């Protein structure tokens, strides 16, 4: 019997699936660690996927 695989999640068009990035602030702290901040994609809120579009019947194209 064949196994059904779930459909692949839609990749966010704004970030192409790379939803979170670390950005260096330049320089290091007193212990020598690189200072970074994390930035998330504003479109998908850091998930990397976009919800499936639901077109309403009769909607204009």
């Amino acid at each position: 019997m064949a196994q059904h695989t779930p459909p692949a999640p839609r990749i966010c068009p704004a970030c192409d699936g790379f939803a979170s990035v670390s950005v260096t602030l330049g320089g290091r702290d007193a212990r020598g660690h690189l200072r970074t901040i994390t930035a998330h994609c504003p479109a998908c809120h850091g998930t990397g996927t976009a919800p499936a579009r639901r077109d309403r019947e009769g909607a204009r194209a």
Side-chain angles (χ1 to χ4, degrees), residues 30-41:
R31 293 183 175 182
H33 299 159
L34 191 62
R35 296 185 308 159
T36 61
I37 59 171
T38 304
H40 299 290
C41 173

Side-chain angles (χ1 to χ4, degrees), residues 12-15 19 40-51:
C12 175
C15 65
H40 299 290
C41 173
C44 65
H45 304 290
T47 62
T49 60

